[in-house]
Amino acid sequence: MLFNSLPFLYLFLPVTYLVFWKLHTKVQRYVWLTITGYIFYSFWNPKFCLLMAVSTLVSYGAGLGFLRWKDARRRRLCLVFPIVFDLALLGTFKYANFALSSGNWLLQSVHSNLRAPSFDIVLPIGISFYTFHTITYIVDSYRGVIKPTRNFFEFSCYVSLFSQLVAGPIVRFRQVEQDLENIDHANRTAYLERDWSFFVFGMIKKVLIADSIARIINPALLRWQSLSTLDTWLCMLGYTYQLYFDFSGYSDMAVGLGAMFGIRLPQNFNSPYKAVDISDFWKRWHISLSSVLRDYLYIPLGGSRQGEWKTCRNLLITMLLGGLWHGANWTFVAWGAYHGILLVATRYSEAFLNLWPVALRKLTTFILVVVGWVLFRSANFSMASGLLTSMFFWRPGIHLDTGKSLVGILLIAGALAHFGPNTFELRHRWSPVQAFALGVLFLACIVFIYGGQESPFLYFQF
């Protein structure tokens, strides 16, 4: 089920919302949000609900173990076993065939006749996100950052909360712990205008901007070999804005939906295309993921505390694994390596870059990000090298039938992304005229949904 689908808008959300506010106790609301989370998830594949339930039970049991045992050996067992279990599930479903195919490639390259089998494995949607939810809960419990909950339904509600279940933001338990504890005292009307405003803005970003761009560039990128230099730049600029408005639109909708049920979700995007360097970009893009990688990988590796060489090593390892988290494809690993190298280069050239005009720094950063998205978007290295060759070695002509329409949409998207406020910077208090305008745009989204094909969010595939 999609946020931008008629069953969600006309049935699931109204029923979930109305029943939630008819319930009054904590346990009732925990149970209801757990049930609706599993119903929401089951629309993709009901079988994978069991997978999420098992992961939830194992992680909840680890939390109880931390409460019961104080000796170091048992606490380490409660830390290691559930994390290994969760990562094993993630590795099996997301990376098994990737590892096998990579092994076959190596065997073939040394002219071996051995071949590993491949398996028909379906990737459970959202597994990368809820696995990070459970792992951060376990690690924070072990570190004493949070006190594990004894209420199973409070924890299951946290893991399966439908608003952030399948594409984030990656929410740590400590970020919503207070709201979950006070869920029976949540005020339905306190931030109602803000809640719905976030949801509407997210819908506009997704349906009117991201999907409009996708309808033009997706067919063009299927025939990437024939694109001219201008075509390729238009397509990659289009993908750059599509990805941002698609994912930030989802995150805005998730924030609005969470708040409708009294749960405040963290900001996931802070105008990333206004970044002045790559380090700044990663403080603004997919904030929940970059902060998790920083706190649970980069800092435990040593961060920047052990000298320059190890700092560079830690940055590269973190970004390589961050790239791999996005998908079982070497192009994602290369994308992570690319950003790791840029982060290292930024670290060594910071004093020099500070002498540049801010506008030039922003433009340079944006171009570097666009080049990186080529690796992110490409199905393989042949496609990536072909697109990059077309971008930087002149191929004349323009073959996009809808080039003028794309340019118009890109101008609007660029103006909003580079110069407009992001959703968290708005006051969300609207005059009657402004509210009417938002209503008209939302109705336009509904019309587009009626008239178009189902359009999943891009980050569902990760």
Side-chain angles (χ1 to χ4, degrees):
M1 188 183 295
L2 303 171
F3 294 166
N4 55 322
S5 67
L6 299 178
F8 179 85
L9 294 171
Y10 289 167
L11 181 61
F12 179 87
L13 180 57
V15 171
T16 302
Y17 183 82
L18 292 173
V19 172
F20 176 87
W21 289 106
K22 288 294 183 181
L23 304 173
H24 299 291
T25 69
K26 287 183 183 180
V27 174
Q28 288 174 342
R29 290 183 171 182
Y30 293 153
V31 171
W32 178 243
L33 289 179
T34 299
I35 291 171
T36 55
Y38 277 87
I39 291 173
F40 179 82
Y41 195 69
S42 69
F43 272 78
W44 281 280
N45 192 327
K47 296 177 183 178
F48 291 135
C49 289
L50 179 61
L51 195 68
M52 183 168 64
V54 171
S55 178
T56 300
L57 283 168
V58 170
S59 303
Y60 171 72
L64 293 183
F66 290 127
L67 291 173
R68 180 175 180 178
W69 295 310
K70 303 302 179 184
D71 61 287
R73 186 179 66 83
R74 288 179 175 176
R75 286 178 62 82
R76 279 196 297 270
L77 183 64
C78 290
L79 171 73
V80 174
F81 172 76
I83 291 179
V84 170
F85 179 82
D86 283 341
L87 291 178
L89 290 179
L90 181 64
T92 299
F93 283 93
K94 189 169 183 177
Y95 300 108
N97 278 334
F98 170 67
L100 291 171
S101 63
S102 298
N104 283 336
W105 179 84
L106 285 174
L107 290 170
Q108 186 178 4
S109 67
V110 296
H111 308 290
S112 172
N113 294 324
L114 296 174
R115 292 290 183 273
S118 61
F119 300 96
D120 185 16
I121 300 176
V122 178
L123 177 65
I125 194 168
I127 188 172
S128 297
F129 288 93
Y130 72 70
T131 297
F132 269 26
H133 291 150
T134 55
I135 288 177
T136 56
Y137 173 82
I138 294 164
V139 174
D140 284 351
S141 299
Y142 176 77
R143 291 174 173 174
V145 175
I146 60 170
K147 182 179 180 180
T149 177
R150 295 183 182 275
N151 190 318
F152 172 74
F153 287 108
E154 180 181 18
F155 182 67
S156 63
C157 162
Y158 157 68
V159 175
S160 64
L161 187 65
F162 75 89
S163 59
Q164 46 82 54
L165 176 58
V166 293
I170 299 169
V171 180
R172 305 184 213 184
F173 186 77
R174 66 190 185 198
Q175 293 175 310
V176 294
E177 182 178 14
Q178 183 177 357
D179 289 339
L180 288 173
E181 286 295 322
N182 297 322
I183 201 168
D184 52 331
H185 299 298
N187 188 330
R188 185 178 67 85
T189 60
Y191 304 103
L192 190 60
E193 188 176 12
R194 183 178 183 272
D195 306 344
W196 287 100
S197 179
F198 262 88
F199 184 78
V200 169
F201 269 102
M203 181 74 78
I204 292 169
K205 285 181 176 182
K206 165 63 176 172
V207 176
L208 298 187
I209 301 178
D211 287 352
S212 296
I213 294 173
R215 278 190 288 271
I216 299 173
I217 68 169
N218 286 347
L221 288 171
L222 288 175
R223 48 183 178 84
W224 55 266
Q225 299 94 330
S226 63
L227 297 178
S228 69
T229 296
L230 184 57
D231 292 333
T232 308
W233 274 103
L234 286 174
C235 284
M236 289 317 304
L237 285 171
Y239 181 71
T240 298
Y241 293 124
Q242 178 203 357
L243 185 62
Y244 169 62
F245 284 102
D246 188 285
F247 195 18
S248 70
Y250 179 94
S251 297
D252 287 346
M253 296 169 82
V255 168
L257 289 168
M260 290 178 196
F261 300 91
I263 299 173
R264 293 166 293 178
L265 302 184
Q267 183 177 8
N268 209 21
F269 289 88
N270 182 18
S271 303
Y273 295 152
K274 297 178 183 178
V276 295
D277 56 45
I278 294 298
S279 178
D280 187 31
F281 173 79
W282 278 105
K283 293 173 184 175
R284 295 167 174 266
W285 177 272
H286 203 346
I287 298 169
S288 62
L289 174 64
S290 58
S291 63
V292 164
L293 292 175
R294 178 196 66 207
D295 296 343
Y296 299 89
L297 183 58
Y298 175 70
I299 291 177
L301 283 171
S304 58
R305 303 187 303 273
Q306 300 175 341
E308 288 298 324
W309 185 89
K310 289 187 177 180
T311 298
C312 296
R313 179 204 65 182
N314 297 339
L315 283 172
L316 288 170
I317 292 173
T318 301
M319 294 310 299
L320 281 169
L321 292 177
L324 185 61
W325 176 87
H326 281 85
N329 194 319
W330 285 108
T331 55
F332 289 118
V333 178
W335 173 77
Y338 170 79
H339 273 274
I341 292 169
L342 289 180
L343 285 170
V344 171
T346 299
R347 180 177 180 85
Y348 281 103
S349 59
E350 186 175 6
F352 172 68
L353 291 174
N354 287 336
L355 301 175
W356 293 18
V358 172
L360 180 58
R361 294 182 66 188
K362 288 183 177 180
L363 177 61
T364 303
T365 302
F366 179 69
I367 292 172
L368 290 172
V369 169
V370 173
V371 171
W373 290 139
V374 174
L375 290 165
F376 197 86
R377 175 62 176 80
S378 297
N380 48 55
F381 286 117
S382 295
M383 181 177 178
S385 63
L387 290 173
L388 289 170
T389 299
S390 181
M391 289 169 71
F392 293 104
F393 295 90
W394 178 252
R395 290 181 182 174
I398 179 167
H399 306 116
L400 288 176
D401 297 331
T402 50
K404 292 182 180 179
S405 299
L406 179 58
V407 170
I409 298 171
L410 293 183
L411 288 174
I412 296 171
L416 293 172
H418 295 283
F419 305 106
N422 64 59
T423 319
F424 276 81
E425 293 171 336
L426 299 172
R427 293 179 62 249
H428 297 284
R429 296 184 181 277
W430 309 110
S431 67
V433 173
Q434 292 170 326
F436 177 77
L438 281 178
V440 169
L441 290 173
F442 185 73
L443 286 175
C445 293
I446 300 298
V447 172
F448 271 76
I449 292 171
Y450 267 110
Q453 295 180 336
E454 188 177 81
S455 177
F457 292 86
L458 291 177
Y459 258 68
F460 280 14
Q461 63 187 295
F462 307 130

